[in-house]
Amino acid sequence: MRSAAEPAAPALPRILDAASEESRAKETAQRLGLPYVDLWTFRPDAELFRRIPLDWMLRFEFVPEREEDGVLAVVMTDPTNVVKRDELEALLGRRLRVKVGSRAAIQEMLQKSDSTQRVVDEAAEEFRMQVVREDEEGQEVLTIDRIASDASPIIKLVDSVLFNAIQRRASDIHIETQENVVVIKYRIDGVLYPAMEPIDKKHHQTIISRIKVMSELDIAEKRIPQDGRFKIRVKGRTIDFRVSIMPTVHGEDAVIRILDKESANAEFKNLRLDVLGMDPETMRRVRKFIREPYGMVLVTGPTGSGKTTTLYACLSEIQSVEDKIITIEDPVEYQLRGITQIPVNEKKGLTFARGLRSILRHDPDKVMVGEIRDEETAQIAVQAALTGHLVFTTVHANNVVDVLGRFLNMKVELYNFVSALNCVLAQRLVRKICPHCRTDATLSRQLLEESGLSPADVAGVRFYEGRGCIECNGTGFYGRMAITELLDLSDRIRGLILDRRPAAEIKKAAKEEGMSFLRESALRKVFEGETTLREVNKVTFVE
């Protein structure tokens, strides 16, 4: 680690245009007669990374490649600086074999690879008990540089976990208490990954207390759940963190939801249905339904299947100065310009039903109800759709036909519900193969059988998988997309529902009218090389 006499490592400069940086690095390598290394496809040696202090790599702008016979091969941005090279050789205590890499790639690697992960591990290794002060600033500026030089182990650990989660595109951080250890995990693209080696249980209370202090929660209260929030500035933008603390048999667990509103707002400015990954035919039909003058557009699926994002995309497409659009949500996760958004506050008596009644007195043209959970909300939403409003809403159900049963259980008059409904869209999210490391894959006969496919079904189809790279943190996946099924409420389907025909008969009629089921939509994505067969088997049933 750095001694007190050494200067602090400089903050990472802004990553320059990658293409120009790369051509500059190639020219430098050619001029000096040194090898050029393409770091965008380079897999670092984790053990070597772990042994070299991060602040040295930041200061001298290099990454280690490999070590052979006491000679360390390093990739540098500027091998012409002989003074720096000599100083680095002296610090590392071994001879260097220098290669050249682009500055942008080295910065990206130091931000995204095991180096930031190692800061987390170092923070955990040198852990010691420490009283948490309650005079923290509400908004802190967080940089990898500050974490590396921070003296307090508890602050260093928590800050490192937060920073690393943002770098790895995590949506949530899970801190789980077990019998003897504390396990920290990140949810990335809907899947949990360990953030580091488990931490000794004796440090558990200090970690939870630090999170409580940041969230302005009661650190003495350990028996009831607590919810809070805090903000941190990272790379010039403010990121919101929502915190939920819950007591368990082994101690308190915490889940931190990361809401990067500023980057999300940039996405939502251009958020349209084609960004979600829908197939062209489904998208064409959805666009027709969301432009109807009145009725109900219903999106269904389990928690975390992207229902709200789909509704935001619909609203973004139809938004205009001529229409008043009001939403009621729990909570309002992202703010949309030009749309009135109301957060539910059940403690103060603002429920979905009460809010929806007030919304209808504000003369809206289009209304979005975040979720229908109870009879009262369901009945008001159906009435609104029947009285000239276009209502967008979501409900938890497994497929488009199960939705009908949900509404009948909420004692909604069947005739009114069927009259109000324009369409039902069911959706799931599947992870996309990382475009940076996509490679051909060969499927085993067993996997084909488990997926309900025969070799004849996949004859001539090329399958792909992600090899794992820096961009996707070695997972082989980068981002998610929606797979959907859309039920068009035609006169024939309405008649079958009103006659209370079996679900199988309704599905058969929908199929004859051109409906594509979730499984078919998912397999189409596999055959187009966008996702893997194992991934779609996790979210859809094999029929």
Side-chain angles (χ1 to χ4, degrees):
M1 297 300 291
R2 189 176 63 237
S3 68
E6 282 180 32
L12 286 171
R14 182 175 164 274
I15 292 176
L16 302 169
D17 178 58
S20 62
E21 281 289 327
E22 214 157 320
S23 59
R24 199 177 306 165
K26 284 176 182 172
E27 284 170 22
T28 304
Q30 199 172 0
R31 194 175 73 247
L32 299 174
L34 295 172
Y36 167 78
V37 179
D38 181 3
L39 289 171
W40 299 107
T41 56
F42 171 69
R43 294 295 298 275
D45 181 337
E47 189 52 43
L48 201 53
F49 252 84
R50 228 167 255 278
R51 294 209 307 264
I52 297 173
L54 171 63
D55 48 348
W56 292 1
M57 290 191 269
L58 290 167
R59 183 145 56 100
F60 295 101
E61 290 186 317
F62 80 97
V63 290
E65 188 191 27
R66 67 171 65 85
E67 190 173 20
E68 285 175 351
D69 305 324
V71 178
L72 180 66
V74 296
V75 184
M76 299 188 78
T77 59
D78 183 16
T80 58
N81 193 328
V82 181
V83 176
K84 260 191 171 183
R85 275 173 61 176
D86 290 347
E87 189 183 348
L88 182 59
E89 249 180 6
L91 283 169
L92 293 169
R94 68 198 91 171
R95 205 154 54 80
L96 299 183
R97 182 183 299 120
V98 177
K99 300 182 180 183
V100 184
S102 87
R103 177 175 270 111
I106 286 177
Q107 288 173 8
E108 191 84 350
M109 183 175 286
L110 291 177
Q111 291 273 17
K112 287 187 172 176
S113 75
D114 288 348
S115 56
T116 52
Q117 176 64 48
R118 208 251 332 276
V119 174
V120 177
D121 295 343
E122 283 176 0
E125 278 166 24
E126 57 184 53
F127 231 78
R128 56 181 182 273
M129 297 300 285
Q130 180 171 338
V131 180
V132 177
R133 299 187 309 278
E134 291 194 59
D135 60 350
E136 300 296 331
E137 291 286 325
Q139 252 194 41
E140 301 176 29
V141 178
L142 190 62
T143 64
I144 186 69
D145 183 50
R146 200 200 81 185
I147 295 167
S149 57
D150 204 310
S152 166
I154 179 64
I155 294 174
K156 185 173 178 178
L157 176 74
V158 175
D159 284 1
S160 304
V161 168
L162 296 176
F163 188 88
N164 205 13
I166 295 161
Q167 292 301 326
R168 292 177 64 178
R169 304 178 296 107
S171 59
D172 304 85
I173 303 165
H174 290 242
I175 299 169
E176 298 173 359
T177 316
Q178 297 176 6
E179 196 171 354
N180 301 313
V181 293
V182 179
V183 178
I184 300 181
K185 301 175 184 172
Y186 295 144
R187 188 177 291 284
I188 304 167
D189 293 332
V191 179
L192 285 172
Y193 296 96
M196 63 173 102
E197 292 294 311
I199 296 172
D200 195 311
K201 174 81 176 287
K202 68 182 179 184
H203 305 304
H204 157 257
Q205 199 51 56
T206 336
I207 296 168
I208 297 294
S209 295
R210 166 66 181 163
I211 293 165
K212 284 183 179 178
V213 167
M214 292 172 83
S215 316
E216 297 181 349
L217 299 177
D218 182 357
I219 60 171
E221 180 55 74
K222 298 178 180 133
R223 294 162 300 175
I224 58 169
Q226 295 188 70
D227 294 314
R229 60 196 305 162
F230 62 90
K231 291 182 182 180
I232 282 182
R233 285 194 68 75
V234 182
K235 293 182 182 173
R237 68 177 193 264
T238 302
I239 296 177
D240 279 2
F241 295 84
R242 273 214 187 87
V243 178
S244 179
I245 310 277
M246 183 175 65
T248 70
V249 287
H250 296 301
E252 290 175 294
D253 279 13
V255 174
I256 303 170
R257 163 67 57 89
I258 301 169
L259 296 175
D260 192 353
K261 289 190 180 179
E262 289 183 32
S263 76
N265 280 346
E267 288 169 28
F268 284 153
K269 277 176 193 166
N270 306 311
L271 181 67
R272 304 182 72 76
L273 289 169
D274 42 10
V275 178
L276 304 178
M278 283 185 192
D279 60 274
E281 178 57 23
T282 303
M283 197 154 51
R284 183 189 64 76
R285 291 163 67 202
V286 169
R287 281 180 170 148
K288 177 173 79 78
F289 290 122
I290 65 176
R291 286 179 168 81
E292 300 279 351
Y294 55 85
M296 182 183 282
V297 173
L298 195 56
V299 181
T300 183
T303 304
S305 59
K307 300 186 294 293
T308 307
T309 305
T310 298
L311 290 185
Y312 281 159
C314 293
L315 293 179
S316 297
E317 291 217 353
I318 60 170
Q319 183 186 354
S320 77
V321 290
E322 297 170 359
D323 290 331
K324 180 158 187 171
I325 302 175
I326 307 180
T327 76
I328 180 159
E329 303 167 59
D330 182 23
V332 175
E333 292 200 358
Y334 302 111
Q335 286 152 24
L336 302 176
R337 191 182 295 278
I339 291 176
T340 305
Q341 293 173 277
I342 302 166
V344 164
N345 189 338
E346 295 200 356
K347 287 180 186 170
K348 303 286 185 186
L350 177 53
T351 59
F352 273 115
R354 191 169 176 185
L356 188 50
R357 273 205 197 87
S358 296
I359 285 171
L360 296 175
R361 290 195 282 270
H362 275 247
D363 186 30
D365 298 285
K366 297 169 176 67
V367 176
M368 175 182 140
V369 183
E371 186 187 337
I372 290 183
R373 299 175 184 164
D374 55 76
E375 292 175 22
E376 198 179 0
T377 311
Q379 285 164 356
I380 300 167
V382 168
Q383 285 301 321
L386 289 170
T387 53
H389 302 91
L390 184 61
V391 178
F392 295 87
T393 189
T394 73
V395 70
H396 287 290
N398 287 327
N399 57 52
V400 290
V401 180
D402 289 354
V403 169
L404 308 172
R406 284 298 307 272
F407 273 84
L408 289 177
N409 286 343
M410 287 192 245
K411 298 184 174 62
V412 173
E413 181 64 44
L414 185 60
Y415 181 80
N416 286 347
F417 174 58
V418 171
S419 303
L421 203 55
N422 290 352
C423 69
V424 185
L425 180 76
Q427 75 175 49
R428 301 286 187 280
L429 292 179
V430 292
R431 292 184 293 170
K432 293 192 286 189
I433 296 170
C434 175
H436 304 95
C437 61
R438 193 174 85 145
T439 185
D440 285 303
T442 308
L443 302 191
S444 65
R445 184 178 287 273
Q446 184 186 351
L447 180 59
L448 287 174
E449 284 172 8
E450 288 170 1
S451 308
L453 297 170
S454 67
D457 294 332
V458 297
V461 176
R462 284 183 74 182
F463 291 96
Y464 297 92
E465 64 185 2
R467 202 171 49 245
C469 64
I470 293 167
E471 291 297 323
C472 62
N473 295 300
T475 63
F477 294 98
Y478 193 96
R480 291 188 287 177
M481 63 185 167
I483 54 168
T484 55
E485 64 181 18
L486 181 68
L487 179 67
D488 180 347
L489 269 285
S490 64
D491 291 340
R492 180 185 173 193
I493 301 289
R494 282 194 167 97
L496 290 172
I497 295 169
L498 289 172
D499 292 342
R500 297 178 185 264
R501 305 303 299 165
E505 196 175 326
I506 296 171
K507 279 186 176 180
K508 186 183 173 190
K511 178 74 176 168
E512 287 168 7
E513 292 186 0
M515 176 174 157
S516 176
F517 295 116
L518 274 174
R519 181 71 184 175
E520 294 168 343
S521 173
L523 288 176
R524 201 177 300 122
K525 297 292 184 191
V526 175
F527 297 156
E528 288 168 0
E530 294 187 60
T531 189
T532 66
L533 203 51
R534 277 197 177 84
E535 185 65 18
V536 302
N537 285 350
K538 287 197 297 189
V539 296
T540 61
F541 288 107
V542 179
E543 292 174 5

